[in-house]
């Protein structure tokens, strides 16, 4: 999406804040012993209360209002009544919603106490990778230059990126052009423009960085059972100061 009016800017800020607040509420509510479906219900109830629609439900008829992934589940985890959060789990929640015709998207990874040092290091590295991507998100920047920088940063710290997953345009739909890879994709010639709305979302792996689709047809898992972490903001390219529409006070990303 390209911001073309004050209405567009207000609309993206509203849906971005809603996504950010929903994510915060869900991660604040997460605790060992609850099912991922119960956690999804927290997000569902808040989205409905605010007059929003779940983006994955609207776009893909996803069997959950949000995506909730644990440990070796990289993304698109289906909330289930029989999938329980345990102490020490690595928990990723991805929230995307539609409000008044505008689409927003955000996500974050936390460790359910007690924290493991290896998980904590992975999460911090992924969070730093997102910050690096944000610092590079300027008009005229090539999307693959961001991917190259993220991949290089991850490798220096002993991690890999998942090449099948990355950022994307957003605003009129959940997945739009351009693609923002998390590696140096030489075929990607996309260039960021002022007013463009994109998601930036490094996915880092402690293993080989490859994924497979689970039997449910939705959940993406690491092929080697390794852990992953993802942090995501919806960003409006805005000169030297990109606007993080999904950033909220006290948030996790």
């Amino acid at each position: 999406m390209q911001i073309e009016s004050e209405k567009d800017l207000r609309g993206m800020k509203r849906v971005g804040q809603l996504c950010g607040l929903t994510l915060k509420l869900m991660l604040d509510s997460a605790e060992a012993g609850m099912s991922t479906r119960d956690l999804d219900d927290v997000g569902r109830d808040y989205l409905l209360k605010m007059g929003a629609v779940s983006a994955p439900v609207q776009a893909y008829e996803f069997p959950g209002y949000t995506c909730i992934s644990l440990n070796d589940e990289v993304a698109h985890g289906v909330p289930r009544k029989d999938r329980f959060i345990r102490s020490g789990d690595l928990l990723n929640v991805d929230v995307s919603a539609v409000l008044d015709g505008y689409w927003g998207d955000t996500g974050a990874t936390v460790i359910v106490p007690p924290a493991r040092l290896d998980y904590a290091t992975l999460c911090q590295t992924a969070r730093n990778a997102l910050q690096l991507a944000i610092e590079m998100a300027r008009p005229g920047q090539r999307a693959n230059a961001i991917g190259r920088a993220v991949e290089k940063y991850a490798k220096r710290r002993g991690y890999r990126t998942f090449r099948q997953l990355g950022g994307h345009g957003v605003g009129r739909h959940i997945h739009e052009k351009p693609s923002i890879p998390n590696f140096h994709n030489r075929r990607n010639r996309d260039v960021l423009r002022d007013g463009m709305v994109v998601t930036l979302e490094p996915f880092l792996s402690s293993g080989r960085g490859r994924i497979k689709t689970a039997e449910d047809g939705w959940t993406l898992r690491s092929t080697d059972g390794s852990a992953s972490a993802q942090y995501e903001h919806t960003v409006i390219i805005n000169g030297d100061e990109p606007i993080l529409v999904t950033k909220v006070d006290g948030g996790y990303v």
Side-chain angles (χ1 to χ4, degrees), residues 3-252:
I3 298 294
E4 297 177 347
S5 65
E6 282 297 320
K7 178 184 177 183
D8 286 346
L9 181 59
R10 290 193 301 269
M12 285 309 306
K13 286 183 174 180
R14 282 196 299 268
V15 72
Q17 287 296 288
L18 174 60
C19 290
L21 290 171
T22 305
L23 176 66
K24 182 180 186 303
L25 176 62
M26 291 178 68
L27 292 178
D28 284 348
S29 302
E31 60 183 11
M34 74 186 306
S35 73
T36 55
R37 175 60 72 182
D38 288 340
L39 183 57
D40 184 60
D41 288 346
V42 173
R44 175 202 64 191
D45 292 348
Y46 188 69
L47 290 174
L48 294 178
K49 175 184 176 181
M50 301 305 292
V53 177
S54 162
V57 170
Q58 176 88 349
Y60 303 115
E61 298 184 354
F62 182 74
Y65 281 76
T66 65
C67 299
I68 303 175
S69 307
L70 294 173
N71 302 320
D72 68 324
E73 297 170 348
V74 181
H76 306 164
V78 176
R80 291 170 20 201
K81 272 290 185 184
D82 61 350
R83 183 73 160 121
F84 294 97
I85 299 170
R86 301 171 300 177
S87 297
D89 274 350
L90 198 60
L91 167 66
N92 175 268
V93 175
D94 194 303
V95 175
S96 50
V98 190
L99 182 65
D100 298 329
Y102 294 95
W103 301 60
D105 195 2
T106 189
T109 305
V110 298
I111 307 166
V112 181
R116 288 174 42 171
L117 178 59
D118 57 339
Y119 282 179
T121 304
L122 170 63
C123 287
Q124 187 58 57
T125 305
R127 188 181 285 108
N128 292 345
L130 173 59
Q131 185 58 42
L132 173 62
I134 291 169
E135 290 171 359
M136 296 182 66
R138 303 293 187 269
Q141 181 68 269
R142 288 189 176 273
N144 66 11
I146 295 176
R148 177 172 55 191
V150 166
E151 183 177 43
K152 184 178 180 180
Y153 174 79
K155 283 186 174 180
R156 284 204 311 265
R157 283 152 181 79
Y159 300 104
R160 294 180 181 270
T161 61
F162 290 93
R163 292 193 167 201
Q164 301 97 322
L165 299 169
H168 50 84
V170 70
R172 303 294 185 193
H173 196 268
I174 188 57
H175 291 121
E176 303 175 349
K177 294 181 178 180
S179 170
I180 313 292
N182 289 317
F183 68 102
H184 187 207
N185 184 349
R186 298 179 184 277
R187 296 181 179 180
N188 186 317
R189 301 299 180 89
D190 292 323
V191 176
L192 302 184
R193 303 187 306 273
D194 219 27
M196 183 179 283
V197 187
V198 299
T199 71
L200 300 174
E201 48 179 317
F203 287 82
L204 266 59
S205 169
S206 62
R208 300 176 65 189
R210 297 180 182 178
I211 58 175
K212 62 182 178 182
T213 303
E215 292 181 359
D216 62 22
W218 296 98
T219 305
L220 300 178
R221 310 181 79 111
S222 60
T223 58
D224 55 7
S226 59
S228 66
Q230 172 248 23
Y231 293 86
E232 174 186 16
H233 270 310
T234 293
V235 176
I236 299 175
I237 306 303
N238 183 56
D240 291 333
E241 296 185 12
I243 302 171
L244 311 182
V245 298
T246 47
K247 186 175 180 63
V248 298
D249 290 341
Y252 291 81

